[in-house]
């Protein structure tokens, strides 16, 4: 289950990076007033946000499964606390993925 969470976080990071790049391209297209290119970018943005929604649902389900196995994980448990419960070998990877995701979502 922990590896599944890592895979989901990794995929979320990739999609958020794509969304950030799309946003930058969208800015350039808006400056250039290229409406045809803007339409394409809006569709790309829509598809990326749909992927994020699905991945977020998977992430929540993975966390619920982890909470069933470990009763110390509650709804209000912070991600940093959850990661402390991961196998020691996966903790650095999960921590890095979580931090990268936090950075991506605040850009």
């Amino acid at each position: 289950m922990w590896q599944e969470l890592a895979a989901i976080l990794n995929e979320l990071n990739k999609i958020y990076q794509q969304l950030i790049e799309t946003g930058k391209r969208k800015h350039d297209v808006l400056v250039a007033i290229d409406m045809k290119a803007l339409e394409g970018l809006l569709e790309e943005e829509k598809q990326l946000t749909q992927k994020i929604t699905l991945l977020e649902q998977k992430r929540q389900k993975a966390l619920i499964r982890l909470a069933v196995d470990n009763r110390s994980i509650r709804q209000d448990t912070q991600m940093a606390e959850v990661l402390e419960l991961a196998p020691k070998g996966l903790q650095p990877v999960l921590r890095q993925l979580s931090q990268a995701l936090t950075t991506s979502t605040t850009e």
Side-chain angles (χ1 to χ4, degrees):
M1 281 185 275
W2 290 103
Q3 289 185 347
E4 177 187 5
L5 180 61
I8 293 166
L9 292 176
N10 188 44
E11 192 62 29
L12 273 168
N13 276 315
K14 289 178 186 178
I15 300 297
Y16 271 109
Q17 286 303 313
Q18 291 175 12
L19 189 60
I20 289 167
E21 289 303 315
T22 301
K24 290 175 183 175
R25 291 194 331 257
K26 187 167 73 172
H27 176 269
D28 294 341
V29 164
L30 284 168
V31 169
I33 312 173
D34 184 349
M35 300 313 281
K36 185 168 178 103
L38 179 61
E39 286 179 31
L41 289 174
L42 289 174
E43 181 59 33
E44 183 179 327
E45 193 174 61
K46 179 182 173 185
Q47 290 174 5
L48 291 171
T49 56
Q50 288 172 342
K51 287 179 184 179
I52 288 170
T53 300
L54 291 174
L55 286 167
E56 279 296 330
Q57 291 170 352
K58 285 183 177 183
R59 184 187 64 82
Q60 289 173 0
K61 287 177 184 175
L63 287 171
I64 289 169
R65 285 193 297 276
L66 288 169
V68 167
D69 286 347
N70 190 330
R71 294 292 179 183
S72 62
I73 300 174
R74 296 179 317 277
Q75 189 172 5
D76 62 340
T77 304
Q78 297 294 313
M79 190 60 158
E81 297 172 62
V82 172
L83 298 183
E84 290 298 319
L85 302 170
K88 297 296 180 201
L90 272 178
Q91 284 183 10
V93 172
L94 287 166
R95 205 171 286 117
Q96 180 183 11
L97 289 169
S98 180
Q99 289 170 350
L101 187 57
T102 298
T103 301
S104 293
T105 57
T106 56
E107 282 188 18

